[in-house]
């Protein structure tokens, strides 16, 4: 067997859990959204109403993509198209960095290069892995759509667009892995690039021009500058175009070629961008376990914060248009009404749903902060802190307090931003969105506390428990009410117990229960953590 | 002499693996104690128990007369720890981590005393504190930990293979630091190491552990008595029988006119008149090195392992 084949087998062996997880998440998303749409937007009339509304609402177009008719297939693509594009983009960027820069940084590449394998073999193995992974993406995507009841040819086009978009982002990851000397930096730039390409696609969709009947939207030129946009423009189930996927393939080949040239011209282990030197001594701010946990987490907290605030601003923009047009349309009112749980006007329900989504984004930040405790423990950096005069309890409390304070600040900012952008609808909304947004804090705290408890009791499962809790929260929170799930299933997520608008009738009793649960879980976790062995990776 | 570390019958199980199996270890105040053993013998596990990071399954472990489990933080104010495999935060610079660890140990990093110590150590270890920890080699990560440990005075230093990854010049700097601390501060040091010359040069007493138990413990002089001294010389016109006739001689061998044998270390002086009578030339008497002591225990293990393997081979 050639060196490249050995390397490829070894890479597949390393990824045999993570790759299937991505594929299964993608397939389930397809099935889930298809089921949700089948039970909610099941009539032509309802779809027509929603498409007409979306066609004149730039915010909705930006978030979902441009509709092309009212067929179930196109409606499905509008609902899930850019989400799937983002999913395969993240999967591929991380995959590329994991097999290039991360290996190189850990010294594994160096070890391999001293064997019969040369750089060429490494490149061939990496690119083969990319092709295999994305053939898997395409097949899983297409099969899931067929299984959900969509037409086969259109589903194959969907698979093709996902696979080609995936390859383009794999190449983006390869390029950043060559430029930066750490996998952390390469991943961060990869995520930023995904965000930028998504914004370009969203801008293209938002600036689209609607047809006279209001059922078709032709996107603005910006959409042709983003692989996510190219994917959407294959228009599965409607036009079934194959050639936009070729644009993604061309980009993939071009970026991969640049990456190979860069790789050949540099030293193993080096990047094009050298790491900047740091401070020779610590600033007076870095002096305890709390400031350390902030220092380690600030970049990701700020990242989540940008996401939450942008989401809040979008709510403002979207809410204004909604208020202008939706409430006059009874069909759409009904559809939106089904997304919420409480009473109130459509507009109020909408605000409630959106604030719950912001709560989820902030929960993501809180969960990640709690997970960081396990990452610190696994990499043995917790050990050198715990071997100083810092007690275990102080170390643990630092992370808990950081998560709570950061969540409160993010929720406050999001509430203010959403309220401020709705001020020209109704000035009183500022106080309402702020109060309701802050009332998400106990639910966020429960997510964080569940993760902390996992860390204290089953440390090796912390990361899995945290992300599963988050995933369940997102799925039930975003699509749960579309699905006619039994009440008790919907009640599992903490966000189901937060107060809903209107504020004058809001029920805050759930907030107290959630607070009590969060505090109890955090106390149990703290006590359990003090009583267990510190276990590093392995 | 006050006992700083007092371990009796210490047990630690990880699932089905018995990592420590009745370990005894005693370190007195002001003592530099060598802690030796092959990989996987349980040295790091013992240290993690002493730091209160893991809980003993049985037996007792006391540091400064108190159990480290549960209230380790108070003990840690008096302890400096250097792990064997130093993990650092890749985004922080070496200098930041040194200061952070000093502050976490309760030191005021604003004092001239701290700054002077830190500057001296950074200089002695030829360390660049501005680089991000992610770019440091193993040796440089080790330096961060060593500088952080020595920059704040402690009553007890727990050093787990502290020189792994350091070059010989840096090893010498390390040895000098340890000697200075031992001489001037009266601090105690537990030094886990594989580098026997280092232990021989620095340690007052040594404990050798194997498979979770202490197999030897005592001063180097004590331990030397347990092994034989090697003697070799050249001599014309004597026969092997007259060499064998000397008191306390074992393992006699002749290789191109040179006689080799071993003798119990306690019997060396009794042997000397006999050697004089044989008119020996170019005589060498080599006292047992720690390496030989250590290999004796390794040797047992190798034999034991072979014994285990044989039935399978048949």
């Amino acid at each position: 067997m050639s060196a490249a084949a050995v390397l490829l087998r070894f890479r597949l062996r390393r990824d045999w859990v993570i790759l299937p997880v991505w594929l299964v998440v993608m397939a389930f998303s397809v099935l889930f959204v298809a089921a949700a749409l089948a039970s909610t937007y099941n009539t032509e009339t309802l779809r027509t109403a929603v498409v007409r509304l979306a066609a004149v609402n730039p915010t909705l177009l930006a978030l979902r993509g441009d509709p092309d008719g009212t067929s179930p297939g196109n409606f499905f693509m509008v609902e899930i198209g850019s989400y799937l594009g983002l999913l395969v983009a993240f999967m591929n960027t991380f995959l590329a960095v994991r097999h290039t820069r991360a290996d190189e940084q850990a010294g594994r590449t160096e070890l391999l290069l001293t064997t019969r394998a040369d750089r060429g073999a490494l490149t061939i193995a990496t690119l083969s892995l990319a092709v295999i992974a994305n053939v898997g993406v395409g097949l899983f995507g297409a099969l899931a759509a067929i299984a959900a009841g969509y037409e086969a040819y259109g589903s194959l086009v969907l698979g093709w667009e996902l696979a080609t978009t995936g390859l383009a982002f794999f190449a983006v990851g390869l390029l950043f892995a060559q430029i930066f000397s750490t996998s952390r930096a390469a991943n961060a730039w990869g995520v930023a690039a995904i965000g930028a390409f998504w914004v370009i696609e969203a801008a293209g969709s938002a600036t689209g021009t609607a047809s006279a009947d209001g059922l078709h939207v032709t996107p603005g030129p910006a959409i042709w500058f983003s692989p996510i946009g190219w994917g959407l423009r294959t228009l599965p189930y409607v036009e079934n175009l194959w050639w936009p996927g070729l644009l993604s393939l061309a980009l993939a080949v071009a970026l991969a070629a640049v990456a190979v040239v860069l790789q050949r011209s540099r030293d193993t282990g080096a990047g094009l961008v050298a790491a900047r030197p740091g401070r020779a001594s610590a600033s007076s701010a870095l002096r305890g376990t709390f400031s350390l946990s902030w220092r380690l987490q600030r970049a990701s907290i700020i990242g989540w914060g940008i996401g939450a605030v942008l989401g809040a601003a979008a709510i403002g923009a979207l809410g204004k248009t909604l208020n202008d047009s939706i409430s006059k349309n009874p069909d759409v009112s009904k559809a939106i009404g089904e997304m919420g749980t409480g009473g109130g006007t459509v507009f109020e329900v909408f605000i409630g749903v959106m604030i719950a989504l912001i709560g989820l984004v902030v929960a993501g930040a809180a969960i990640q902060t709690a997970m960081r405790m396990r990452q610190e423990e696994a990499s043995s950096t917790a050990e050198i802190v715990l071997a100083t005069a810092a007690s275990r309890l102080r170390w643990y409390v630092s992370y808990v307090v950081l998560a709570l304070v950061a969540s409160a600040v993010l929720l406050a900012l999001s509430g203010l931003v959403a309220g401020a952008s709705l001020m020209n609808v109704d000035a009183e909304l500022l106080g309402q969105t702020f109060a309701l947004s802050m009332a998400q804090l106990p639910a966020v705290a429960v997510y964080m506390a569940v993760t902390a408890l996992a860390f204290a009791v089953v440390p090796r499962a912390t990361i899995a428990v945290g992300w599963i809790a988050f995933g369940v929260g997102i799925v039930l929170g975003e699509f749960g009410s579309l699905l006619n799930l039994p009440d008790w299933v919907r009640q599992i997520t903490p966000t189901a117990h937060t107060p809903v608008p209107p504020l004058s009738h809001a029920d805050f009793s759930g907030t107290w229960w959630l607070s009590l649960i969060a505090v109890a879980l955090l106390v149990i976790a703290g006590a359990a953590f003090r009583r267990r062995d510190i276990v590093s990776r392995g | 002499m006050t006992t700083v570390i007092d371990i009796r019958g210490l047990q630690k199980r990880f699932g089905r693996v018995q990592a420590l199996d009745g370990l005894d270890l005693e370190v007195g105040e002001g003592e530099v104690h060598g802690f030796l053993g092959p990989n996987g013998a349980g040295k790091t596990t013992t240290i993690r128990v002493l730091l209160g990071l893991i809980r003993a399954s049985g037996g007792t472990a006391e540091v400064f007369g108190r159990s480290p489990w549960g209230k380790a933080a108070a003990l840690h104010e008096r302890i400096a720890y250097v792990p064997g495999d130093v993990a650092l935060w890749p985004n922080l610079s070496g200098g930041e981590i040194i200061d952070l660890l000093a502050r976490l140990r309760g030191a005021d990093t604003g004092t001239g005393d701290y700054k002077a110590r830190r500057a001296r150590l950074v200089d002695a270890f030829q360390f660049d504190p501005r680089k991000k920890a992610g770019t440091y080699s193993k040796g440089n990560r080790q330096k961060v930990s060593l500088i952080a440990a020595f920059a704040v005075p402690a009553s007890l230093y727990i050093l787990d293979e502290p020189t792994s990854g350091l070059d010989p010049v840096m090893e010498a700097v390390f040895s000098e630091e340890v000697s200075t601390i031992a001489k001037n501060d009266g601090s105690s040091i537990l030094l886990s190491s594989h580098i026997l010359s280092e232990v021989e040069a620095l340690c007052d007493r040594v404990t050798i552990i194997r498979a979770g138990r202490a197999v030897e413990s005592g001063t180097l002089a004590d331990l030397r008595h347990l092994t034989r001294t090697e003697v070799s010389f050249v001599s014309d016109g004597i026969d092997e029988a007259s060499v064998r006739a000397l008191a306390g001689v074992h393992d006699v061998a002749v290789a191109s006119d040179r006689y080799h044998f071993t003798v119990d270390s306690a019997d060396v002086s009794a042997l000397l008149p006999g050697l004089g009578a044989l008119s020996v030339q170019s005589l060498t008497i080599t006292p047992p090195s720690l390496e030989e002591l250590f290999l004796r225990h390794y040797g047992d293990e190798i034999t034991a392992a072979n014994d285990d393997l044989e039935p399978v081979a048949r």
Side-chain angles (χ1 to χ4, degrees), chain A residues 216-228:
Chain A
H216 303 265
V217 177
T218 313
I223 203 164
W224 297 106
F225 292 91
S226 161
I228 300 176

Side-chain angles (χ1 to χ4, degrees), chain A residues 184 275-284 286-289 292 295-296 372 376 379-381 383-392 394 530-536, chain B residues 12 14 48 51-55 69-70 73 76-77 79 81 83 85 87-93 95-97 99-101 103-106 118 129-132 134-135:
Chain A
R184 195 185 279 254
R276 278 173 301 159
R279 303 172 57 96
S281 56
S283 79
S284 56
L286 183 65
R287 56 183 318 105
T289 50
L292 175 63
R295 173 69 188 274
L296 299 174
R372 181 73 194 215
E376 288 288 297
S379 67
S380 297
T381 39
E383 187 178 303
I384 59 173
V385 173
L386 294 176
T388 68
S391 74
R392 280 204 201 185
R394 201 167 100 195
R530 288 186 69 196
R531 271 155 229 273
R532 74 164 171 83
D533 288 356
I534 299 293
V535 276
S536 51
Chain B
K12 180 66 194 178
F14 295 108
R48 287 164 64 82
L51 289 168
L53 294 170
I54 56 177
R55 192 210 309 244
W69 181 253
H76 291 167
E77 284 173 17
I79 297 177
Y81 167 54
D85 194 359
L88 303 172
W89 301 277
N91 288 357
L92 270 61
S93 72
E96 283 180 297
I97 295 173
D99 290 344
L100 171 72
L101 291 175
R103 288 169 186 170
L104 285 170
R105 284 176 55 200
R118 184 189 188 274
R130 298 190 71 92
K131 283 192 182 161
K132 295 280 175 71
T135 65

Side-chain angles (χ1 to χ4, degrees), chain B residues 288-303:
Chain B
S289 66
L290 190 56
E291 195 168 339
E292 278 162 300
L293 253 171
F294 195 54
L295 280 177
R296 225 174 60 153
H297 294 292
Y298 261 106
D300 284 1
E301 192 168 59
I302 292 162
T303 319

Side-chain angles (χ1 to χ4, degrees), chain A residues 430-522:
Chain A
L430 182 62
Q432 207 174 120
T433 53
F434 180 73
L436 291 170
S437 186
M438 287 311 283
Q440 299 284 317
L441 186 59
V444 169
V446 170
Y447 278 108
M448 193 268 287
V450 167
T451 315
L453 187 65
F455 163 71
V457 180
V458 278
R460 285 170 213 268
T462 311
I463 312 289
V465 169
W467 287 130
I468 288 171
F470 188 58
V472 169
I474 284 202
V475 168
L476 292 185
E478 182 154 26
F479 304 113
S481 36
L482 292 183
L483 268 183
N484 300 326
L485 287 170
D487 226 26
W488 66 266
V489 175
R490 285 157 63 174
Q491 302 291 322
I492 290 177
T493 61
T495 35
H497 304 275
T498 52
V500 293
L503 187 62
S504 48
H505 298 98
D507 175 9
F508 281 86
S509 65
T511 316
W512 301 117
W513 279 111
L514 289 171
S515 306
L516 206 64
I517 292 170
V519 169
L521 292 179
L522 287 172

